[in-house]
Amino acid sequence: MRDPFLIRLNDLLAQIYPDHDVKALSQSVQDAFWPEGTSRRKRARAPSNNLWSERDCMVITYGNSIRDGQHKPLDLLRDFLTRQLKGVVNGVHILPFFPFTSDDGFAVTDYRAVNPTLGDWPDIQRIAKEFKLMSDLVLNHVSSQSTWFNEYRQGHEPYDKFFFEASPEDDLSEVVRPRTHPLLREVHTANGTRHVWCTFSHDQVDLDFRNPEVLLEFLRVTRLHIDNGVRIVRLDAVAFIWKEIGTKSIHMPQTHAIVRLMRLLADFAQEPVILLTETNVPNAENLSYFGNRNEAHAVYNFSLPPLLLHAMLSGSARYLNRWQATMPPAQMGCAYLNFSASHDGIGMRPAEGILPPTETEQVIDRVKAHGGLVSMRSLPDGSQSPYELNITFFDALKGTMKGEDDLQIDRFLAAQSIVMALEGIPAFYIHVLLATANDLAGVEKTGVNRAINRHRWDYPALNAALMDPQSTQSRVLTEMKRRIAIRGRQPAFHPNATQFTLQLDDRIFGIWRQSLERDQSIFALHNVSDELVEIDPVAINLIDGHDWYDLLTGDVIHPHGAKIRLEPYQCRWISNRQ
């Protein structure tokens, strides 16, 4: 009997590398991902809803988001996680923790080492034993000062064929750009002058996956991460990894085939490995990375942040509702990762085709009024377009389109409650949990717009703030933890539980969730406005003969009783189970 694993692996390799010896390459892939002393499962892990549950919730953080000048930042992070979040948040995404030269870790110089300013692999392992750990596989590019690129410039094998070269004479007009700098960088090598492809910056040089040795090297790096406790692998900027002159060089068929190959390896791994793709692109393009249950296990819900921001600023969930009503449920074995903010800005491309240009302009104007910045990208015609908004999500909500007010915390918590209630796994950037303000000093110091949302907290000062019940940080973190804990006890909030978007007052974002066993329903209602809104219980089809409870307040809701009141920015999770 032929091995199903080998049949699928060989087929994928033939699609990606038709001019190579597939049999030999197949063996090399297996040796890279399962070196001596490891082995694969006899059968693939079948797609199921068992890789996650309603108890799953993640925090996104840099390894040094908390520091004190004395202790290793990874030790401080572990202390914060165990002291403040354990029992409520069970997963952590530590952003690139490797040696780097720029982009706060995404210009990697050594994929096999932990940045010594943070700690070492044993520190990573300790965190991985207590929390489900996500790491970054920065596979599109490496630092221009990395060993790989230095070896390339010297003409040393195998690195002399590791980087994507092009000519200034090539037709690159169709290439989709996330930045405004020139795409090609001229470099002098032992083999003469070359022009290397740089999607994100001239310090981040793109690799050439047409060379299978590049893929094999990343499979070895992935195995290293898994062996050190990583269970979620984030494929950073994966949409750009395959290039062809004369094309858009994004979402190429070979890119999807490489993701399918990595999913195949994950499904046959002894460890429960989850693949997450990071593709900050329009919604339909993002969803394509689920494939047919054979690519990413999870994708970022990239359209959520800009639409959520618009709803909270405008006081209307019209576009958020319209988008959510058309979103497909994740297929079996797949899940959305829901978030409002990350280490990057609030991407605007995922709102293309959903938010009208006039609404987008209003959001941009309000973000600027709240101290935010705007980063641009180049278009094929030479013009520029807003790529992302740079601001902390907390300060983005210090007011509405009407101006600033004193409802910032209530508005902010309502936004985060929507993230918790949606189908998928919620993830919260550490600066969301801590209601961090804009770090304008960081922008001035670095000249980088994204620094506004990458504040480094002094740990003693943070602890003092968290011990003060009146501080913004204490008030927000305490209530966030309360709501996350409530969410984690509800089967109807399983990442794959049924979801239906309710069509109510435009000021209300409402969804109905039903548990996989169909024994719990939750009507999650969120007032995105600064006005009192009343909803007739009949409008949300509360089943008669049941007792209904607001999980957030403990109120009893009667199917034929008084109207359900939602104060400004109030959220109600109405369930048939307490």
Side-chain angles (χ1 to χ4, degrees), residues 15-18 164-166 170-176 183 197 199 206-210 239-255:
Q15 294 176 46
I16 304 166
Y17 303 110
F164 196 94
E165 300 174 349
D170 290 332
D171 179 8
L172 305 176
S173 61
E174 294 301 311
V175 175
V176 173
L183 178 61
W197 192 291
T199 297
D206 285 33
L207 292 150
D208 190 351
F209 275 84
R210 296 175 302 178
F240 299 97
I241 64 173
W242 196 278
K243 293 92 174 163
E244 287 185 8
I245 305 300
T247 74
K248 294 182 178 180
S249 294
I250 186 173
H251 313 312
M252 301 294 283
Q254 296 90 339
T255 296

Side-chain angles (χ1 to χ4, degrees), residues 158 172 193 201 217 221 233 244-245 249 298 336 367 378 470 490 574:
L172 305 176
T193 300
S201 79
E217 189 60 25
V221 170
V233 178
E244 287 185 8
I245 305 300
S249 294
Y336 294 107
V367 163
S378 295
Q470 300 305 315
Q490 315 308 320
I574 301 171

Side-chain angles (χ1 to χ4, degrees), residues 523 525 535-538 540-566 570-576 578:
F523 293 90
L525 309 177
I535 301 293
D536 192 324
V538 175
I540 58 174
N541 299 320
L542 290 186
I543 299 173
D544 201 5
H546 281 263
D547 291 326
W548 294 88
Y549 309 91
D550 182 347
L551 298 170
L552 295 176
T553 66
D555 293 346
V556 176
I557 308 294
H558 298 288
H560 298 292
K563 289 186 176 181
I564 302 168
R565 291 171 56 92
L566 289 101
Q570 184 176 4
C571 303
R572 288 186 177 273
W573 293 346
I574 301 171
S575 170
N576 60 331
Q578 284 183 301

